């Protein structure tokens, strides 16, 4: 087992700002999937003062990036404009994952607000054509999403030419049976649209309805996925972006098909423990981005309402997890591990 090394402080923190607010119902989402029965409507929204508290404490130690909500649509967070001002004021970067609908303000107004402070924007997209994409991301207007992406790329070039900022734009994909054969076409679309990066991860099983969508479920599915990996790598070698660069593939690795474990190779490392942290809407110190029912198996690590962030980060409880991460079943089945050599050095 490779050993994680904990940084002095996290280089990036994710704030789960508004997990219950989203304008789509993607089938794989642990919060908003149409397959998940909601017993009562929750309205979990992070108090902005919690974000201010953590950033104020950690910025002097070398904090670099902020990610807002990854379960809900972050652009629906009521204090998003204030978050942008906070990030700008502390000379940080915003790393944003959004569904590409750009609610409330529309793509142009949002672009002028976020592009100057972005490091990267990940657009969740799961098909190269409308019928497939809309089947996975329920409620999506696919053509509108593509139009938004084209406008965003154009506005990014404008911001770049003016010397303000040069953020990357990423296609964020969930790999599953439903879209696996379409992934080469989706990659070609990304290249045609001048997208910088094609990134994804394998499906987390958040409900029984999508169990058969996993590409890790049997050897035939793994074989199919591994073939697609070869095809994606071939496309990246042969097809250039408009600027002459090659698109970057991220998290596109073959699965081990030698045994029934259906997991990534044992020499893969967690890219998050000891490096990044998730803060839940209520201040809970979360250690990773695994679905909540799995993440809870690690135990409790405190709350920033009661304790300073740095104390929680340096706690014996958290250090033990960082050092022993691979022994947990959650780690063994995790979809987010990467080869050690590919993990960004800070």
């Amino acid at each position: 087992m490779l050993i994680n090394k904990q940084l002095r402080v996290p280089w990036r923190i994710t704030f789960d700002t508004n997990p219950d607010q989203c304008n789509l119902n993607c089938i794989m989402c642990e919060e908003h999937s149409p397959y998940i029965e909601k017993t009562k409507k929750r309205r979990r929204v992070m108090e902005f003062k919690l974000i201010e508290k953590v950033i104020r404490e950690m910025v002097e130690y070398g904090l670099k990036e902020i990610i807002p909500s990854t379960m809900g649509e972050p652009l629906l967070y009521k204090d998003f404009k204030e978050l942008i001002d906070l990030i700008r004021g502390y000379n940080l970067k915003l790393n944003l994952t959004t569904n590409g609908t750009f609610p409330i303000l529309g793509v142009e107004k949002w672009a002028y607000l976020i592009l100057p402070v972005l490091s990267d924007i990940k657009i969740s997209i799961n098909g190269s054509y409308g019928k497939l994409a809309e089947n996975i991301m329920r409620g999506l207007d696919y053509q509108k999403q593509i139009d938004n992406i084209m406008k965003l790329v154009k506005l990014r070039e404008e911001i770049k030419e003016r010397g303000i900022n040069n953020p990357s734009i990423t296609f964020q994909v969930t790999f599953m049976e439903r879209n696996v054969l379409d992934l080469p076409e989706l990659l070609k679309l990304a290249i045609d649209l001048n997208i910088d990066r094609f990134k994804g991860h394998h499906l987390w099983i958040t409900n029984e309805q999508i169990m058969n969508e996993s590409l890790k479920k049997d050897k035939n599915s793994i074989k199919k996925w591994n073939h697609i990996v070869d095809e994606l790598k071939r496309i990246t070698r042969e097809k250039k972006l408009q600027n002459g660069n090659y698109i970057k593939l991220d998290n596109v690795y073959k699965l081990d098909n030698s045994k029934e474990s259906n997991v990534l190779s044992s020499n893969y490392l967690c890219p998050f423990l000891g490096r990044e942290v998730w803060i839940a809407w209520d201040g809970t110190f979360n250690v990773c981005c695994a679905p909540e029912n799995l993440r809870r198996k690690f135990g409790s690590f405190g709350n920033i309402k009661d304790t300073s962030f740095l104390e929680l980060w340096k706690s014996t409880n958290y250090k033990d997890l960082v050092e022993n991460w691979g022994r947990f079943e959650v780690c063994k089945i995790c979809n987010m591990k990467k080869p050690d050599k590919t993990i960004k050095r800070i």
Side-chain angles (χ1 to χ4, degrees):
M1 179 189 74
L2 292 174
I3 302 299
N4 269 41
K5 294 182 180 179
Q6 185 171 354
L7 299 178
R8 187 169 66 93
V9 293
W11 76 278
R12 182 164 69 191
I13 299 175
T14 296
F15 294 94
D16 197 8
T17 49
N18 53 313
D20 296 323
Q21 293 177 296
C22 195
N23 54 348
L24 298 182
N25 297 100
C26 302
I27 64 171
M28 59 285 191
C29 182
E30 68 174 292
E31 297 291 347
H32 302 282
S33 172
Y35 300 139
I36 297 175
E37 183 179 352
K38 297 291 180 70
T39 54
K40 67 176 183 177
K41 194 167 186 177
R42 296 189 288 181
R43 298 186 182 277
R44 298 170 296 174
V45 179
M46 178 175 281
E47 297 177 69
F48 187 66
K49 65 181 181 181
L50 291 180
I51 301 175
E52 291 179 299
K53 176 180 183 290
V54 173
I55 290 180
R56 192 180 302 116
E57 179 185 357
M58 297 308 299
V59 71
E60 64 179 286
Y61 293 101
L63 178 67
K64 299 178 185 300
E65 280 192 5
I66 298 301
I67 299 179
S69 193
T70 54
M71 285 297 106
E73 168 53 51
L75 297 182
L76 291 172
Y77 180 49
K78 63 182 181 63
D79 295 316
F80 199 92
K81 290 182 183 178
E82 287 76 9
L83 178 60
I84 293 173
D85 291 339
L86 189 66
I87 289 170
R88 184 185 294 111
Y90 283 112
N91 199 28
L92 298 171
K93 288 293 186 181
L94 171 69
N95 191 305
L96 181 67
T97 300
T98 177
N99 60 30
T101 63
F102 294 94
I104 303 175
L105 297 182
V107 61
E108 188 167 346
K109 288 183 180 179
W110 273 123
Y112 283 123
L113 282 171
I114 63 178
L115 284 171
V117 297
L118 277 176
S119 60
D120 178 64
I121 179 169
K122 293 182 283 294
I123 307 292
S124 296
I125 184 168
N126 287 282
S128 70
Y129 58 96
K131 184 177 180 180
L132 175 61
E134 292 172 4
N135 179 263
I136 295 172
M137 299 175 68
R138 304 290 173 85
L140 177 71
D141 181 335
Y142 179 71
Q143 188 54 55
K144 179 67 173 175
Q145 185 189 46
I146 295 298
D147 291 344
N148 286 342
I149 292 170
M150 294 173 69
K151 288 179 184 176
L152 181 69
V153 171
K154 183 178 180 180
L155 292 169
R156 189 271 304 268
E157 293 307 308
E158 177 187 317
I159 293 292
K160 177 183 175 181
E161 289 172 6
R162 290 166 59 188
I164 297 173
N165 195 20
N166 184 24
S168 55
I169 300 177
T170 298
F171 269 15
Q172 172 82 16
V173 188
T174 302
F175 307 136
M176 63 182 86
E177 285 282 2
R178 202 168 302 198
N179 67 5
V180 64
L181 297 180
D182 183 59
L183 294 179
E185 292 304 313
L186 185 57
L187 175 59
K188 291 175 187 176
L189 175 63
I191 295 171
D192 289 340
L193 294 178
N194 218 30
I195 301 300
D196 304 285
R197 189 169 62 137
F198 187 91
K199 178 181 183 290
H201 62 81
H202 285 275
L203 186 76
W204 286 105
I205 304 300
T206 57
N207 61 81
E208 291 184 0
Q209 299 271 20
I210 60 171
M211 288 187 69
N212 287 332
E213 294 288 345
S214 173
L215 293 167
K216 298 164 64 177
K217 65 179 181 292
D218 55 44
K219 289 191 174 184
N220 287 335
S221 292
I222 293 174
K223 183 178 179 180
K224 184 192 306 180
W225 163 252
N226 288 346
H227 172 74
I228 291 295
V229 170
D230 286 335
E231 181 66 8
L232 295 177
K233 290 182 176 180
R234 182 191 65 77
I235 293 169
T236 60
R237 292 193 302 267
E238 297 178 359
K239 192 173 173 64
K240 290 184 179 182
L241 298 170
Q242 296 168 23
N243 59 16
N245 295 331
Y246 292 97
I247 194 169
K248 180 182 177 183
L249 282 183
D250 199 346
N251 237 19
V252 178
Y253 311 116
K254 289 187 176 182
L255 296 169
D256 186 354
N257 201 18
S258 63
K259 51 185 180 296
E260 292 296 335
S261 59
N262 299 341
V263 296
L264 289 169
S265 174
S266 59
N267 68 343
Y268 280 43
L269 188 67
C270 174
F272 302 126
L273 285 174
R275 301 168 60 83
E276 301 185 42
V277 166
W278 280 252
I279 304 296
W281 71 279
D282 62 354
T284 300
F285 185 96
N286 285 330
V287 297
C288 74
C289 57
E292 186 176 3
N293 64 317
L294 296 175
R295 189 176 60 242
R296 283 179 178 175
K297 296 179 180 179
F298 289 128
S300 176
F301 295 86
N303 191 298
I304 61 170
K305 287 183 177 179
D306 310 317
T307 312
S308 75
F309 181 93
L310 205 54
E311 283 184 66
L312 298 177
W313 175 258
K314 293 184 174 181
S315 69
T316 300
N317 196 18
Y318 184 62
K319 285 184 178 180
D320 286 345
L321 175 64
V322 173
E323 292 174 3
N324 297 290
W325 71 278
R327 299 177 185 176
F328 294 86
E329 192 61 31
V330 179
C331 301
K332 294 175 183 177
I333 65 171
C334 181
N335 296 323
M336 311 302 289
K337 292 182 291 185
K338 293 185 174 185
D340 180 39
K341 64 182 179 180
T342 69
I343 295 177
K344 183 178 180 182
R345 304 301 172 191
I346 303 300

